[in-house]
Amino acid sequence: MVSVGFRALALRNHNSHNSSQNGLITDQGKTSFTRRKMGRKGSKKDSGFHRNDSNMDESGGATGRARNFSRDKGGAAPHAESQASFVRKQVDPETAKYFSEITNVIEGTEVDMEERSVICGTALEEARGKEVELATDYIISHTMQTLLEGCTLDCLCSFLRSSAGEFSQICMDRSGSHVAETALKSLARHLEDTESHPIIEETLSVLCEAIVANPVDIMCNCYGSHVLRRLLCLCKGVPMDSLEFHSTNPSAVLAERLNLRSSHADSHNAPQNQPFPNQLKFLISEMVDPSRADMATLQANQYSSLVLQTALKLLAGQEEELFRLIPILLGCPIDAVSEESFIEVKRLVEENAYSHLMEVILAVAPDTIYNGIFTKIFKNSLFRLSSHFCGNFVIQALISHARGQEHIKLIFEELGPKFRDLLELGRAGVVAALLASSQRLQGNQHECCQALADAVCLSAESSVCIVPRLLFLENYLYSVDKDNWGWPSGLKMHVLGSLMLQSIFRYPSEFVKSYINSITSLEDKHVLEVSKDPAGARVIEAFLVSSISAKQKYKIVGKLRGHFGELAVLPSGAFTIEKCFHACNLSMKETIVSELLSFKAELSKSRQGPYLLKKLDIEGFARRPEQWRSRLTSKESVFNEFYEAFGQKDAKSSRGGNFLSDSYKNTQAEKFKGIRKEIDDGLSSGSISKSGTPFLAHQGSTKVKKSGDKKSKVRGFSQDNNDEFSKSKKHKTSKDGDSARNEKKRRKKDGLSETSNKKLKAGISD
C-alpha cells in the first residue's frame, strides 16, 4: 500500500496523474476516512456541515453573530465588506481525489516516521497555492491537519509562509481554524530545539504581518480569536493549552481571590525566557493600534475580550508594555481621566465582555496604574457596582488585588456597613473577597470580623447563631421568619458561607472569639452533619489548623467521638479525620485509631482510605498498641524540641496543643526543609552538633539501613516512617551520643562478637 502511495505521489508530481494509473480511490478508502474521529461537531441543521458547499459563509454564520453582538453593544463592524466578500472555493475533483489517496496511504498502513514525513512534505508541496480551498474544506481539512502534524519543520514553515497572504481567511473559517491551530501546535513542538528558532521566528514574523493587516475581524471572530490566542502563546513560549492563558476556570479564579492558591499574575512577575519577544510585542501593539482597530468594538465584543485578556496575562510583569497597553484598553490615560471617560468606564464594567477584561487588567496592573484606577474610577462607587450582576465580579477583583492596607481601609469604609445588604442581594462573593484580602494584608481585620457577625446576628441576639447562619446563609437570608430560624437539617451548606468562615478562622484568635464561641456551641449532631458536608468539612478543618487554643479544638473533636469511622469512609472525611488526629492529645488519637480499625475493610476500598490507613499507622496499632503509643510519643517529643529550637518565639499560640499545628508547618515549611536536610546530612556523616541543644542530643540512634544506602534519618523525625518502624526488629539507642571508644567498650562488655561489631559499623542490621 505504501509503495502504491509513493507511486501515486510521483505520478502526481510529474503532472501525469490519471485515473487509469491510480486505483486507490475506493469506497473502502472513503469509508476509512469517514470512520475517523473528526473532532468537530456538525451543525444540527446539516449533520455534514457544508462539506464542499461553496455557497456558505466562510465562518459558518458565526461571524455574523459576532458582528451582531458588537452592533448590539454600539460597536461598529469594520472591514465587514472585505470579510463577507470571501467565498469558499470548490476543491477541484482531481485535487480532492489526490488528497483522498494521501489519507488512505497514511491511515491505511503502518508507515515509519521517515516515510511518513516524506509523504506529508510532498503532499503539502502539492497544496501550494490551494491552501485556503483545502484548509476550509470540511473533509480535506482533517487530512491537512494530519499532514501538518507529520511533516518536517521546513515543510511546516514553508506551508505557513505560502499561506500567509490568506491566513486570516483560514483562521476565521470553521474548518480552517482547526488547520491553523494544528500548524501552530506543530510549530510549538520545535521550540525546545534552539537551533530551530531562527526559521520559526521568520515564519511568525510573516504571520504577524499578515494578521495585523486586518486584526479586528480576526479578534471578533469566534474561530479566529482561538487561533490568535494560540499565536500569542506561541510567541511567549508558554504551553498552548495552559488553563492559565487559554481558558477561564471560575473555581481557580475564586481560589486565588480567597487566598486558597497563589495568583498566576504574581508568578509571572519574575523575568522569563521568551523565545520571540519582538513578535509578541509587535502583534499586541498592532492589534490595539487605534489607527487600525476600533477600540469601541474590541471593548464590547466577547471574543476580542478573550484575546485581550490573554495578551494582558502574557505581559504580566512587563511594566513598560502594560503602561502603554492598559490606558488604551481603558480608553483614556490614567493620569488624565476626564469626566466622560470616567462615566464610560463605569458603564463598560457593567457589560459582560468588558467586565472580564477589567478583572484581568486589575490583576496584572502595576501599582501606579492600580492606584489610578482605584481612586479615579471605582472610589465612591464600590457599593453600586457591587450590586450589579457583572460589576460585582470587577469589585471582587479590585479587592482581591489590593496592594496595601490603605486600599483595604478605603474599601471597608464603603462596603463594611453594607455587608448585610450585599448578602441579601446575593453578592456574598464581594464580602468573601474583602475578608480574604483583609487577612492577607492584615488590615481592618477586627472590623471585618465584627461587620460580618453583625450582618447575620443582630446586637440583641446571641453570638451562638453566627456559624449556623453562615453555613446555611441562603436559607437564612430568604426565610420568612428570621427571628425563629432554626438549623435546617438535610440541606446542602452554602459554599460562599463556608469559604467566609474558612477565611475567618485564619485570622488571629483574638479577633474571632464570637465565631469560636458559636462553633464550639454546636450540638454533637450538628457538628457531625457539618463534617459530613463537603463545604462544612472545610470549615471544621480550617478551625482545627488555626491558631485557636487546643482546648477549643478538643471540644469539636470530642463531639465527633463514635463517628470517626463513618466520617473516614466519606470522600472528604479522610482529610477531616487527619486534621482531628493532629489537633488532639494522645488519648483522643488512640480513640480515633481504635474506631477506624473496625472500618479498615471499607477504608481500603475508598479513595483516600489507604492514605489514611498508612498515615495514622492503623496496622501498627492493631499489631502492637504499646509500640504505637511509644512511637507517637517519641515523634511528638522530637517535633516539640525541634519547634523550641527553631520555631518563632511569637508563634507559640499557633501550636494548637500538639507538636506543630498545620498552619505553622505550612508557613515554615521551606525553612524547616533546609534545616532538616542539614540535620540528616550531619547525622549521616557522623558529626555531632556543636550547639549542644537538647533537640540534637536526645534523638537516639539513626535507623540502621542496608549497606549501600548512605542516607540515615533521625528516628521518629519523619512522619512517613511508620511502616519502617513496624518492620524493624530492633532499635538500639545511645544515651548521650557517646564517643566511638566508649561505644566500643560497651559493646565488648555486652559480649558482642567482632563479626557483629563489623556488621554494625557497615550499616547491616542483625
Side-chain angles (χ1 to χ4, degrees):
M1 186 67 173
V2 176
S3 61
V4 177
F6 275 117
R7 184 167 63 252
L9 289 172
L11 292 171
R12 176 68 175 174
N13 290 335
H14 289 85
N15 298 320
S16 58
H17 189 77
N18 54 67
S19 57
S20 62
Q21 289 174 309
N22 67 74
L24 293 175
I25 298 299
T26 63
D27 293 337
Q28 181 182 359
K30 293 181 180 179
T31 305
S32 172
F33 188 83
T34 305
R35 284 196 299 265
R36 288 188 61 193
K37 182 179 179 181
M38 295 299 188
R40 300 193 282 271
K41 293 181 179 180
S43 170
K44 290 183 179 180
K45 183 177 179 181
D46 178 10
S47 60
F49 191 52
H50 44 273
R51 301 202 178 250
N52 291 326
D53 187 356
S54 60
N55 296 323
M56 291 292 292
D57 178 73
E58 78 278 13
S59 62
T63 303
R65 288 195 296 274
R67 301 266 63 77
N68 289 337
F69 179 90
S70 297
R71 293 190 188 103
D72 292 341
K73 301 300 180 183
H79 310 292
E81 293 182 1
S82 62
Q83 181 178 335
S85 62
F86 168 70
V87 178
R88 182 182 291 103
K89 297 179 181 179
Q90 184 84 20
V91 178
D92 64 89
E94 187 178 2
T95 302
K97 179 184 289 188
Y98 171 75
F99 279 95
S100 183
E101 293 174 359
I102 295 297
T103 301
N104 292 336
V105 170
I106 294 176
E107 296 186 350
T109 59
E110 294 184 2
V111 183
D112 61 44
M113 293 301 296
E114 185 176 352
E115 290 180 336
R116 185 184 183 88
S117 178
V118 173
I119 295 173
C120 292
T122 306
L124 287 176
E125 186 66 26
E126 280 297 310
R128 187 181 297 275
K130 305 173 185 177
E131 293 88 355
V132 177
E133 297 95 308
L134 296 172
T136 57
D137 183 89
Y138 184 76
I139 297 295
I140 300 178
S141 64
H142 292 85
T143 304
M144 297 299 294
Q145 288 180 249
T146 303
L147 297 176
L148 291 169
E149 290 172 343
C151 67
T152 62
L153 177 61
D154 290 336
C155 293
L156 176 62
C157 292
S158 176
F159 172 84
L160 288 172
R161 287 195 298 268
S162 64
S163 62
E166 298 173 306
F167 192 70
S168 298
Q169 296 174 353
I170 295 175
C171 292
M172 291 186 288
D173 181 79
R174 180 180 183 181
S175 299
S177 63
H178 289 276
V179 175
E181 287 192 78
T182 300
L184 295 178
K185 286 181 183 179
S186 299
L187 208 58
R189 286 198 290 268
H190 296 278
L191 287 180
E192 295 181 0
D193 182 11
T194 54
E195 295 182 359
S196 303
H197 283 196
I199 186 173
I200 296 176
E201 183 175 5
E202 180 185 352
T203 303
L204 291 178
S205 298
V206 174
L207 294 180
C208 292
E209 290 284 355
I211 286 175
V212 299
N214 182 22
V216 177
D217 279 350
I218 301 177
M219 294 174 70
C220 296
N221 182 272
C222 63
Y223 305 122
S225 61
H226 282 283
V227 179
L228 191 48
R229 291 165 70 191
R230 285 193 175 274
L231 181 59
L232 288 168
C233 289
L234 177 58
C235 292
K236 177 75 173 182
V238 300
M240 289 290 187
D241 297 309
S242 171
L243 294 177
E244 178 181 348
F245 299 105
H246 213 63
S247 70
T248 303
N249 188 333
S251 299
V253 173
L254 182 62
E256 288 180 11
R257 289 179 178 172
L258 301 184
N259 303 336
L260 301 177
R261 60 177 288 181
S262 61
S263 172
H264 288 311
D266 296 339
S267 65
H268 288 280
N269 287 336
Q272 292 186 353
N273 181 25
Q274 301 181 36
F276 314 109
N278 295 332
Q279 282 68 28
L280 178 65
K281 294 176 182 178
F282 169 76
L283 183 56
I284 294 176
S285 63
E286 292 299 317
M287 284 193 313
V288 297
D289 186 353
S291 64
R292 295 176 181 267
D294 182 355
M295 290 309 302
T297 300
L298 298 182
Q299 289 173 334
N301 186 272
Q302 56 180 331
Y303 302 117
S304 61
S305 174
L306 291 170
V307 176
L308 294 172
Q309 290 173 51
T310 301
L312 285 167
K313 292 176 183 178
L314 293 171
L315 292 178
Q318 302 181 38
E319 293 195 358
E320 183 179 349
E321 294 300 316
L322 292 172
F323 271 111
R324 193 192 66 80
L325 176 60
I326 291 178
I328 296 176
L329 300 181
L330 294 175
C332 57
I334 295 297
D335 54 355
V337 179
S338 64
E339 188 64 25
E340 291 183 3
S341 300
F342 177 83
I343 297 173
E344 178 63 15
V345 173
K346 284 186 178 181
R347 184 192 68 80
L348 284 172
V349 297
E350 296 180 349
E351 301 291 339
N352 182 51
Y354 193 79
S355 66
H356 285 289
L357 179 60
M358 178 58 79
E359 290 178 46
V360 180
I361 290 175
L362 292 169
V364 303
D367 292 350
T368 305
I369 294 182
Y370 178 91
N371 289 331
I373 293 174
F374 181 89
T375 56
K376 298 183 180 181
I377 297 177
F378 291 109
K379 189 179 179 181
N380 299 324
S381 301
L382 295 179
F383 179 71
R384 185 184 67 80
L385 291 172
S386 297
S387 305
H388 191 270
F389 72 95
C390 284
N392 84 91
F393 293 104
V394 177
I395 300 303
Q396 289 182 45
L398 180 76
I399 296 171
S400 300
H401 299 289
R403 302 305 201 259
Q405 294 182 0
E406 184 61 29
H407 291 143
I408 297 298
K409 180 181 178 182
L410 294 173
I411 293 169
F412 181 79
E413 288 176 356
E414 287 192 52
L415 297 182
K418 302 287 188 180
F419 271 14
R420 187 174 182 90
D421 296 331
L422 290 170
L423 294 177
E424 290 177 343
L425 289 170
R427 307 298 178 228
V430 177
V431 179
L434 182 52
L435 291 171
S437 290
S438 172
Q439 185 268 329
R440 174 174 60 88
L441 297 172
Q442 300 181 4
N444 294 81
Q445 295 183 84
H446 180 65
E447 292 84 351
C448 285
C449 290
Q450 190 59 46
L452 180 61
D454 294 341
V456 296
C457 179
L458 300 179
S459 57
E461 295 179 307
S462 171
S463 62
V464 173
C465 65
I466 295 176
V467 169
R469 290 180 180 181
L470 284 172
L471 288 173
F472 298 98
L473 183 61
E474 198 169 72
N475 180 271
Y476 165 71
L477 291 174
Y478 297 123
S479 63
V480 177
D481 187 6
K482 290 184 175 61
D483 294 334
N484 297 317
W485 183 87
W487 185 280
S489 297
L491 291 183
K492 188 176 182 180
M493 295 181 184
H494 196 259
V495 173
L496 280 172
S498 71
L499 288 170
M500 285 189 279
L501 284 172
Q502 291 175 52
S503 295
I504 287 293
F505 290 128
R506 289 199 294 269
Y507 280 64
S509 58
E510 60 266 23
F511 297 148
V512 297
K513 292 180 180 179
S514 59
Y515 296 88
I516 297 172
N517 178 55
S518 179
I519 194 170
T520 54
S521 300
L522 292 176
E523 298 179 21
D524 293 8
K525 62 180 181 180
H526 293 161
V527 174
L528 178 61
E529 187 175 344
V530 173
S531 301
K532 287 183 175 181
D533 185 271
R538 296 297 184 94
V539 176
I540 299 295
E541 292 169 22
F543 179 81
L544 294 175
V545 301
S546 66
S547 61
I548 297 166
S549 68
K551 182 179 179 180
Q552 301 294 343
K553 295 178 182 180
Y554 294 160
K555 292 181 180 180
I556 293 296
V557 178
K559 293 175 186 288
L560 294 173
R561 186 192 296 269
H563 301 283
F564 295 117
E566 62 180 289
L567 272 179
V569 297
L570 298 176
S572 60
F575 301 101
T576 306
I577 296 300
E578 184 183 359
K579 300 298 188 298
C580 289
F581 185 85
H582 291 303
C584 60
N585 55 23
L586 182 59
S587 176
M588 183 59 73
K589 283 180 170 69
E590 188 171 348
T591 301
I592 293 173
V593 175
S594 299
E595 292 188 25
L596 295 184
L597 191 58
S598 60
F599 285 82
K600 182 180 176 182
E602 292 89 334
L603 285 171
S604 62
K605 299 176 184 177
S606 64
R607 183 175 182 181
Q608 301 296 337
Y611 164 80
L612 193 63
L613 291 172
K614 180 179 179 181
K615 187 74 173 179
L616 306 188
D617 191 20
I618 308 297
E619 188 69 28
F621 177 80
R623 289 199 307 264
R624 296 180 179 179
E626 291 299 329
Q627 186 179 6
W628 182 89
R629 295 187 196 96
S630 175
R631 183 166 58 252
L632 201 62
T633 303
S634 175
K635 185 185 297 186
E636 184 170 344
S637 176
V638 168
F639 273 95
N640 277 329
E641 291 175 1
F642 182 86
Y643 176 85
E644 293 297 335
F646 301 105
Q648 293 179 348
K649 302 299 182 182
D650 59 350
K652 291 184 179 180
S653 61
S654 69
R655 293 174 62 185
N658 68 335
F659 39 93
L660 267 184
S661 70
D662 287 355
S663 60
Y664 183 75
K665 284 189 287 183
N666 290 338
T667 59
Q668 300 293 322
E670 292 301 323
K671 177 182 176 182
F672 285 177
K673 186 184 295 183
I675 296 173
R676 289 181 180 188
K677 186 177 185 302
E678 292 179 8
I679 294 172
D680 286 345
D681 292 343
L683 291 172
S684 298
S685 61
S687 63
I688 300 175
S689 172
K690 296 180 181 180
S691 63
T693 59
F695 168 70
L696 295 179
H698 298 285
Q699 291 308 306
S701 66
T702 59
K703 182 187 170 195
V704 181
K705 287 194 174 185
K706 293 182 179 181
S707 59
D709 187 354
K710 296 182 180 180
K711 294 184 179 179
S712 61
K713 296 184 178 180
V714 180
R715 189 180 71 176
F717 189 80
S718 173
Q719 294 188 18
D720 298 324
N721 60 356
N722 293 334
D723 288 345
E724 295 169 357
F725 275 107
S726 61
K727 293 177 182 178
S728 299
K729 295 182 179 179
K730 295 181 181 179
H731 297 283
K732 301 180 178 64
T733 59
S734 60
K735 293 183 178 180
D736 301 311
D738 296 328
S739 64
R741 183 182 59 186
N742 292 335
E743 179 69 9
K744 184 176 181 180
K745 288 181 179 180
R746 185 179 67 81
R747 294 185 181 280
K748 188 174 293 185
K749 182 179 179 180
D750 291 340
L752 290 177
S753 65
E754 186 67 17
T755 304
S756 298
N757 203 10
K758 288 181 179 180
K759 287 184 178 181
L760 185 62
K761 289 181 179 180
I764 304 176
S765 60
D766 293 336

